[in-house]
Amino acid sequence: MDKGLPWALRALPTLVAAARADKRAGVRPVIWSTAPLVSNLGLAWAASVLTGAELHVDLRDAVDGINSRPMPWLTRRVLTRARTVTTVTPGVARMIDRRTSINANLVYNGISEDAHKARVSGRVEATGWIDVTYAGALYGGDRPYRPAIELLRRASKLLPNDMKGVRLRIATREALDDLLAEPSGDRFCIEHCGELSKKKALDLAARSHVNLLLLGSGEIHRCGIPLKTYDLLGVGRPVLYFGPGDADALGFMRTFSPDLYHAVDSERDTSALAGKVSDWLYQSAQAESSSVSEPSASSQSRLIMEIVEGRA
């Protein structure tokens, strides 16, 4: 978690002391920064300069300024000092290649084979409603939640008569007074589930007919793969993707779960898509869970460490 510059300044003496202790003990100090956050990268870079430790950088998302002109001083210094640079998204790798002489290593998250097999099986309970769940923040940023909700509202009206409609369940700490105050209609409703722990959110996702993934149109969203992408694919229920058509997250789903999602390009006119989305929702409500794997950061870390050790 990015705790800001004051935290980084307080942590710097501890990191420097640890690296110097390694050198005195005859151990090669290696600093591996695993976050896309400016304070963490700055901390790792400063400690590397002060101690001569090797610096390895793992960029999970687009770092602020990595694609700006000119590239910020600290960002360029971090990238040029790093012995290796890895990223989990093709978009960030392309930006690094375009702006620097560094060859970034692209390392997708790995897949573990047994995480959800026991927990998710069979069909979701039939209530007459198609339960669509979204877990996470709505407000702030550029998440296209209003057009997504409007599309679900229109699609609900086109469902066959044996379905009551669409029930959108939103799990977030934010107050949804504006959305809940809007008239929903007979075949569409919104339920506010409040803030949930990750385990409870995943359990809710596993009991949903469909899970909603919203992605903004900014470059950081296009070039990042939110962790919830892996989580939702892991529970094995169909995912309705609503975001840019060229985002890395969508490319990841095309590669690893081509039969588990339906994509709506939020940057195009979606007014004519209600019928297609309605049909897909209906089919998804009948589908059995298909979870046989869950993306795992541990196997990704092993791949990154192999890269780090190979450059030692």
Side-chain angles (χ1 to χ4, degrees):
M1 183 170 63
D2 190 1
K3 298 180 181 179
L5 182 60
W7 167 81
L9 293 175
R10 291 195 300 270
L12 180 60
T14 302
L15 184 55
V16 168
R20 287 175 174 170
D22 282 345
K23 293 185 74 172
R24 288 194 299 269
V27 177
R28 175 175 55 91
V30 172
I31 298 174
W32 176 23
S33 179
T34 61
L37 309 167
V38 173
S39 65
N40 292 16
L41 291 176
L43 167 64
W45 172 81
S48 174
V49 170
L50 292 172
T51 65
E54 286 184 10
L55 176 62
H56 299 268
V57 176
D58 176 21
L59 300 175
R60 299 304 171 102
D61 288 302
V63 178
D64 182 37
I66 203 170
N67 202 37
S68 62
R69 295 184 180 276
M71 184 184 292
W73 181 86
L74 178 59
T75 305
R76 182 173 292 279
R77 291 298 184 278
V78 170
L79 291 177
T80 54
R81 186 173 181 83
R83 180 69 66 89
T84 64
V85 177
T86 56
T87 175
V88 301
T89 64
V92 177
R94 287 193 298 270
M95 283 193 287
I96 294 172
D97 291 342
R98 186 167 65 243
R99 300 301 312 284
T100 73
S101 60
I102 299 167
N103 292 320
N105 299 280
L106 177 62
V107 182
Y108 272 123
N109 275 26
I111 302 291
S112 62
E113 292 298 330
D114 58 356
H116 284 287
K117 281 182 179 177
R119 195 179 70 183
V120 183
S121 62
R123 298 187 180 186
V124 176
E125 180 183 0
T127 63
W129 289 94
I130 297 179
D131 288 320
V132 180
T133 295
Y134 175 80
L138 276 184
Y139 307 134
D142 57 354
R143 297 175 187 85
Y145 66 94
R146 284 199 173 275
I149 290 175
E150 182 56 32
L151 181 58
L152 287 172
R153 191 192 310 273
R154 293 200 304 268
S156 68
K157 297 177 181 178
L158 302 177
L159 288 170
N161 291 331
D162 59 333
M163 302 301 298
K164 294 179 181 178
V166 172
R167 179 165 52 193
L168 175 59
R169 305 185 296 192
I170 302 176
T172 182
R173 72 177 65 180
E174 301 161 304
L176 302 180
D177 297 342
D178 59 333
L179 294 178
L180 297 176
E182 296 177 1
S184 296
D186 295 335
R187 310 202 74 190
F188 180 79
C189 66
I190 297 176
E191 291 187 0
H192 187 199
C193 301
E195 184 179 9
L196 300 178
S197 67
K198 183 167 185 177
K199 182 181 184 305
K200 289 183 178 180
L202 286 176
D203 287 341
L204 183 64
R207 299 194 309 270
S208 300
H209 297 102
V210 171
N211 288 289
L212 178 62
L213 178 60
L214 297 175
L215 225 61
S217 59
E219 188 167 46
I220 287 181
H221 289 134
R222 290 177 188 273
C223 297
I225 302 178
L227 289 177
K228 69 176 64 178
T229 308
Y230 309 115
D231 293 334
L232 296 182
L233 295 181
V235 300
R237 297 302 307 168
V239 175
L240 177 60
Y241 168 90
F242 199 94
D246 60 351
D248 283 345
L250 182 56
F252 181 86
M253 289 194 289
R254 287 193 185 108
T255 300
F256 290 98
S257 298
D259 299 324
L260 200 62
Y261 75 94
H262 180 77
V264 176
D265 189 341
S266 59
E267 297 180 326
R268 298 191 176 188
D269 182 10
T270 61
S271 59
L273 299 179
K276 184 176 293 187
V277 171
S278 180
D279 292 341
W280 180 81
L281 289 172
Y282 185 77
Q283 294 171 7
S284 298
Q286 324 301 322
E288 294 188 0
S289 298
S290 57
S291 178
V292 295
S293 64
E294 177 192 30
S296 167
S298 60
S299 56
Q300 180 197 52
S301 298
R302 286 194 296 272
L303 291 171
I304 292 174
M305 288 310 300
E306 290 175 5
I307 294 172
V308 170
E309 292 170 357
R311 300 290 179 86

